[in-house]
């Protein structure tokens, strides 16, 4: 089924019905290849594993390490040693839902202009192509449903469920985030595993983790990668 077909099903109130191979990198990248908003990703500064571990300023920003690109459909984000990348250069996953989100690259241009001339340059459109709230919402519907599907698969493999999704199951009653209530005592270990693997998301003590993929810059591959890290932290 195509990304467009998933959008139509979710907008009509039908379940997405992801296939058996949905928990695979290939499936996630196939959805990314059909994403009409994928060009927007390169408009933002996204963290790398190295930048998340910084304890002092050194004058570098994450997009410089990746040549100014964040990668779509796996390019840039999953580079290995053959591409000359290091573990610190590897793209992180930014699923933070309680902030203003990842910083647009254009912010530096506007701040520098303000400091130099006390005037802001004419604002340009993100992505150099217009988008719409409908397109953003359409992608958000499928991103969140895909995350929900993979979370349900994790619980299905456990003798006792690791967590409960406390965000409404009805896509019409939720935004682009899922709050999961973990079994008591799991949050700290999962938080360490996520941080070690370059993942940023919200924690709510004592036991809630909020997963918030943003349609402007998050990929289906990011959702899949996040779930593999979570599975590892849970011992699956």
């Amino acid at each position: 089924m195509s990304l467009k077909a998933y959008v139509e099903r979710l907008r009509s109130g039908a379940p997405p019905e992801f296939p058996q191979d949905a928990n695979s990198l290939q499936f996630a990248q196939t959805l990314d290849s059909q994403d009409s908003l994928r060009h927007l990703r390169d408009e933002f500064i996204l963290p790398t594993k190295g930048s998340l571990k910084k304890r002092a300023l050194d004058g570098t920003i994450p997009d410089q390490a990746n040549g100014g690109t964040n990668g779509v459909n796996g390019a840039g984000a999953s580079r290995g040693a053959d591409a000359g990348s290091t573990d610190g250069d590897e793209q992180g996953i930014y699923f933070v839902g309680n902030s203003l989100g990842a910083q647009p690259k254009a912010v530096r241009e506007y701040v520098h202009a303000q400091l130099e001339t006390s005037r802001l340059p004419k604002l340009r459109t993100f992505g150099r192509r217009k988008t719409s709230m409908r397109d953003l919402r359409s992608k958000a519907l499928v991103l969140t449903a895909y995350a929900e599907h993979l979370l349900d698969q994790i619980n299905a493999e456990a003798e006792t469920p690791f967590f409960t999704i406390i965000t409404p199951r009805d896509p019409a009653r939720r935004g682009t985030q899922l709050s999961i209530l973990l079994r008591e005592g799991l949050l700290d270990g999962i938080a360490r595993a996520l941080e070690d693997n370059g993942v940023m998301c919200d924690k709510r003590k004592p036991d809630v983790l909020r997963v918030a993929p943003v349609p402007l810059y998050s990929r289906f591959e990011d959702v899949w990668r996040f779930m593999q890290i979570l599975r590892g932290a849970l011992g699956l």
Side-chain angles (χ1 to χ4, degrees):
M1 194 182 299
S2 68
L3 177 57
K4 181 179 179 181
Y6 288 123
V7 171
E8 291 173 350
R9 288 187 61 83
L10 288 163
R11 281 194 173 276
S12 71
E17 296 186 354
F18 291 110
Q20 290 186 347
D21 68 343
N23 186 16
S24 69
L25 178 60
Q26 181 179 6
F27 178 81
Q29 290 181 337
T30 296
L31 291 182
D32 282 328
S33 70
Q34 300 169 25
D35 176 17
S36 64
L37 303 183
R38 62 184 182 272
H39 64 286
L40 296 177
R41 181 176 170 86
D42 273 338
E43 299 289 340
F44 295 87
I45 297 175
L46 299 178
T48 61
K49 285 187 178 181
S51 69
L52 292 177
K53 295 177 181 178
K54 276 187 180 182
R55 295 296 179 265
L57 299 178
D58 61 9
T60 64
I61 56 176
D63 67 326
Q64 291 175 332
N66 290 328
T69 180
N70 289 322
V72 291
N73 303 332
S78 302
R79 299 176 304 164
D82 292 340
S85 67
T86 66
D87 182 66
D89 293 337
E90 186 176 341
Q91 195 89 66
I93 299 174
Y94 193 88
F95 282 178
V96 179
N98 68 338
S99 72
L100 296 177
Q103 177 178 291
K105 294 178 181 178
V107 166
R108 281 176 292 161
E109 174 188 341
Y110 302 150
V111 170
H112 289 168
Q114 175 71 13
L115 292 173
E116 183 175 343
T117 69
S118 297
R119 293 191 302 273
L120 290 175
K122 183 178 180 181
L123 297 179
R124 58 188 175 87
T125 304
F126 274 133
R128 295 174 292 280
R129 297 202 301 270
K130 290 182 179 179
T131 187
S132 67
M133 288 304 299
R134 181 176 179 82
D135 288 343
L136 289 169
R137 176 60 176 161
S138 293
K139 180 180 176 181
L141 284 169
V142 188
L143 269 177
T144 310
Y146 183 50
E148 180 182 49
H149 176 76
L150 296 184
L151 286 169
D152 285 341
Q153 278 194 345
I154 290 174
N155 263 346
E157 296 178 25
E159 292 184 7
T160 303
F162 291 110
F163 49 77
T164 301
I165 298 175
I166 57 177
T167 301
R169 290 280 182 167
D170 180 1
R173 297 180 57 214
R174 68 188 183 199
T176 315
Q177 72 92 20
L178 295 171
S179 292
I180 58 177
L181 177 62
L182 297 162
R183 279 200 331 235
E184 186 177 355
L186 290 178
L187 180 60
D188 288 342
I190 289 174
R192 284 193 298 271
L194 293 176
E195 183 177 351
D196 288 345
N197 284 277
V199 178
M200 293 185 68
C201 62
D202 301 336
K203 300 178 288 295
R204 292 290 185 274
K205 293 280 190 174
D207 298 307
V208 173
L209 192 69
R210 297 178 71 223
V211 183
V214 178
L216 278 168
Y217 46 76
S218 296
R219 303 170 302 180
F220 292 93
E221 178 179 340
D222 295 327
V223 173
W224 180 83
R225 289 175 59 213
F226 173 90
M227 297 302 169
Q228 307 319 300
I229 296 167
L230 179 60
R231 292 173 70 91
L234 293 170
L236 296 178

